């Protein structure tokens, strides 16, 4: 079973369990993957039908199933895009004459279908690195290589999308703005409006299509920038603090959207995103770079998910009303270090106290735990004072 077949099976599960909100997004993704006008029309017809028949579950199920079968028949024959290197940086640095801040050296590589997360406290170089990758700044030292062809800096910038934390003001309604953008990106007249409607629905902008910039929340302004990105079909998306000003549910939703968009078998792209939401970024990213005073530390997702510990000890973060004295008495010599950091305990143990052993001790001794996380292979450990 290839990647597309695995993804399609998951989409069929959404249909089976009537998870229509996620299902609709994935159907739109598949529709855009076809790049065929006939499917743009079919899926737009489905959107219109759903607007007028929100409670008709039986017919809804049939319509989704029929469209999915048609999409599968076409896409299962379409050539999938292989993963390939998009960008690499070797020992890049950015220094300023004032010596107030310097970034690097930083090493990284990003392939199609990968998400790279940038984490670190404010003022530690995340935005500087994004602007270097976007071509807005030039490195003082090191080599930054784009592994795809381009004619000049302008042509390069057309294949990158950089979305800063503060988006620019735009004019007109959401719909007319996107329709104008689509015409500039080369969409044919007969597909322009259809694709715009699909992308608005994909990003939850459909009911806001007649809103102006001033009428949208900051979170939906960011979604509009993502809509521009999907219309433009870049190779790389660079986005600064996309989770800022979003509630927890919206954060999880947008990160799942990033993952689905990046890992399309037919239109994959590389994504680099910065965020303060450490846990959410680590769940979504294939690799994570931590920046502290401009210096780099890497953490790959394979290390986060590793069955075997990559260090000689374990580190757990947890919250409990028990005191430090009580915990130290409980764990004894197996405890290497115990800190209270940001209202939670950070405990470092010898390698014998594996996650299952730690949890058994907590349960057997009836230690009340409000929160627990194994951060042995998480960048969270870099934030500990």
């Amino acid at each position: 079973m290839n990647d597309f077949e695995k993804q399609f099976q998951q989409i069929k599960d959404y249909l089976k369990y009537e998870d229509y909100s996620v299902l609709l997004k994935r159907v739109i993704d598949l529709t855009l993957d076809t790049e065929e006008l006939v499917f743009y029309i079919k899926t737009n017809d489905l959107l219109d039908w759903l607007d007028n028949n929100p409670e008709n579950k039986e017919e809804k199920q049939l319509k989704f199933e029929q469209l999915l079968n048609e999409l599968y028949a076409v896409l299962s024959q379409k050539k999938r895009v292989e993963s390939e290197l998009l960008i690499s940086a070797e020992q890049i640095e950015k220094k300023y004459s004032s010596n107030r801040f310097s970034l690097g050296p930083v090493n990284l590589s990003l392939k199609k279908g990968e998400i790279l997360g940038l984490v670190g406290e404010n003022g530690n170089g995340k935005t500087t690195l994004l602007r270097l990758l976007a071509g807005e700044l030039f490195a003082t030292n090191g080599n930054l290589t784009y592994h795809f062809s381009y004619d000049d800096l302008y042509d390069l910038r057309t294949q990158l999308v950089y979305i800063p934390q503060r988006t620019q003001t735009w004019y007109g309604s959401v719909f007319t703005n996107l329709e104008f953008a689509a015409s500039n990106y080369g969409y044919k007249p007969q597909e322009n409006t259809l694709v715009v409607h699909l992308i608005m629905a994909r990003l939850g902008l459909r009911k806001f299509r007649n809103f102006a910039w001033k009428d949208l929340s900051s979170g939906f302004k960011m979604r509009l920038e993502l809509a521009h990105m999907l219309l433009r079909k870049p190779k790389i998306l660079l986005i600064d603090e996309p989770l800022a000003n979003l509630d927890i549910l919206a954060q999880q939703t947008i990160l799942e959207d990033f993952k689905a968009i990046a890992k399309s078998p037919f239109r994959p792209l590389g994504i680099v995103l910065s965020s303060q939401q450490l846990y959410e970024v680590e769940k979504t990213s294939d690799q994570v770079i931590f920046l502290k005073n401009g210096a780099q530390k890497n953490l790959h997702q394979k290390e986060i998910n590793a069955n075997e510990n990559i260090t000689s000890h374990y580190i757990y973060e947890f919250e409990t009303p028990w005191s430090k004295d009580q915990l130290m008495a409980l764990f004894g010599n197996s405890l290497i270090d115990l800190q209270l950091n940001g209202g939670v305990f950070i405990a470092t143990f010898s390698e014998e106290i594996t996650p299952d052993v730690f949890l058994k001790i907590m349960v057997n001794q009836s230690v009340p735990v409000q929160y627990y996380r194994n951060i042995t292979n998480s960048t969270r450990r870099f934030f500990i004072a």
Side-chain angles (χ1 to χ4, degrees):
M1 184 179 291
N2 59 42
D3 289 343
F4 168 66
E5 291 169 339
K6 290 177 182 177
Q7 289 185 18
F8 192 82
Q9 182 56 54
Q10 186 180 52
I11 293 170
K12 294 281 284 187
D13 288 341
Y14 294 139
L15 176 64
K16 176 181 178 181
Y17 295 108
E18 300 182 357
D19 191 350
Y20 292 116
S21 61
V22 179
L23 174 62
L24 182 58
K25 290 182 179 182
R26 300 298 179 261
V27 167
I28 294 172
D29 289 339
L30 294 176
T31 300
L32 294 172
D33 285 339
T34 68
E35 299 182 297
E36 293 187 9
L37 183 64
V38 62
F39 282 105
Y40 296 163
I41 294 172
K42 288 176 180 287
T43 304
N44 268 284
D45 288 344
L46 175 62
L47 289 173
D48 292 336
W49 184 89
L50 291 171
D51 285 344
N52 297 316
N53 302 273
E55 302 302 325
N56 192 334
K57 288 188 177 181
E58 184 174 345
E59 191 171 354
K60 182 189 297 186
Q61 190 87 357
L62 291 174
K63 285 183 175 292
F64 269 114
E65 186 171 10
Q66 179 180 351
L67 183 54
L68 279 173
N69 289 336
E70 293 179 20
L71 287 166
Y72 181 81
V74 171
L75 291 173
S76 60
Q77 303 302 313
K78 187 172 182 177
K79 184 179 179 180
R80 292 176 291 279
V81 175
E82 298 295 328
S83 177
E84 59 186 39
L85 189 61
L86 290 173
I87 187 171
S88 61
E90 297 178 358
Q91 298 290 300
I92 60 169
E93 297 179 299
K94 180 62 179 177
K95 297 181 179 180
Y96 295 91
S97 56
S98 63
N99 292 321
R100 58 186 174 86
F101 173 78
S102 63
L103 172 70
V106 172
N107 297 283
L108 64 83
S109 63
L110 180 72
K111 295 181 180 179
K112 286 183 178 179
E114 286 188 343
I115 300 176
L116 189 157
L118 301 178
V119 298
E121 299 170 3
N122 288 332
N124 282 270
K126 298 190 300 296
T127 298
T128 299
L129 180 53
L130 284 173
R131 294 183 66 195
L132 282 170
L133 298 177
E136 288 194 356
L137 297 174
F138 295 97
T140 309
N141 298 301
N143 297 310
L144 181 61
T145 305
Y146 302 95
H147 297 269
F148 49 85
S149 59
Y150 58 93
D151 297 327
D152 49 33
L153 183 59
Y154 175 80
D155 185 34
L156 172 64
R157 292 294 300 276
T158 64
Q159 301 187 62
L160 306 172
V161 169
Y162 171 51
I163 303 178
Q165 188 173 357
R166 293 178 179 83
T167 58
Q168 294 183 341
T169 304
W170 45 267
Y171 301 97
S173 67
V174 168
F175 174 72
T176 57
N177 181 272
L178 291 174
E179 192 175 40
F180 177 75
S183 65
N184 286 331
Y185 295 152
Y187 287 88
K188 298 176 183 177
Q190 64 267 34
E191 64 184 9
N192 183 310
T193 299
L194 294 169
V195 171
V196 167
H197 277 295
L198 289 174
I199 288 177
M200 285 193 303
R202 175 64 180 81
L203 293 170
L205 292 167
R206 187 171 171 84
K207 66 180 179 181
F208 302 107
R209 55 184 175 268
N210 295 320
F211 280 42
W213 184 85
K214 63 181 178 61
D215 300 321
L216 291 177
S217 69
S218 56
F220 280 98
K221 289 173 183 174
M222 187 271 292
R223 286 176 179 269
L224 182 71
E225 295 299 324
L226 293 178
H228 282 131
M229 181 273 297
L230 287 177
L231 285 171
R232 192 156 133 189
K233 296 188 286 189
K235 289 183 170 61
I236 300 173
L237 169 62
L238 309 163
I239 185 163
D240 199 359
E241 296 288 351
L243 306 183
N245 305 312
L246 298 181
D247 58 46
I248 293 175
L249 180 59
Q251 289 177 5
Q252 294 172 342
T253 300
I254 204 69
L255 287 173
E256 284 301 312
D257 288 344
F258 283 147
K259 183 179 290 188
I261 291 167
K263 298 186 181 301
S264 164
F266 308 99
R267 299 174 297 123
L269 68 151
I271 298 179
V272 182
L273 63 91
S274 71
S275 180
Q276 298 295 320
Q277 306 300 325
L278 174 62
Y279 180 55
E280 285 75 13
V281 169
E282 287 188 348
K283 285 195 302 181
T284 305
S285 301
D286 299 286
Q287 53 178 309
V288 179
I289 290 178
F290 173 82
L291 293 175
K292 179 71 171 180
N293 297 324
Q296 172 193 8
K297 291 187 178 182
N298 275 33
L299 189 68
H300 289 269
Q301 192 65 28
K302 63 183 180 181
E303 294 173 351
I304 297 175
N305 295 331
N307 291 323
E308 294 184 2
N309 185 21
I310 63 171
T311 67
S312 60
H313 51 260
Y314 286 96
I315 307 174
Y316 307 120
E317 177 182 58
F318 60 96
E319 184 177 356
T320 177
W322 275 31
S323 69
K324 187 172 183 177
D325 287 342
Q326 287 176 292
L327 294 171
M328 292 183 71
L330 172 63
F331 293 114
N333 294 333
S334 61
L335 187 62
I336 297 173
D337 185 53
L338 181 64
Q339 299 183 39
L340 187 61
N341 184 280
V344 297
F345 285 103
I346 308 292
T348 303
F349 289 93
S350 58
E351 59 186 0
E352 291 81 13
I353 308 299
T354 59
D356 57 332
V357 171
F358 172 78
L359 291 173
K360 285 178 182 178
I361 292 173
M362 301 296 273
V363 170
N364 291 338
Q365 298 300 318
S366 301
V367 180
V369 177
Q370 286 81 37
Y371 163 83
Y372 158 79
R373 185 178 170 212
N374 179 0
I375 63 169
T376 307
N377 300 322
S378 166
T379 53
R380 171 69 174 97
R381 65 186 190 269
F382 299 145
F383 288 88
I384 302 171

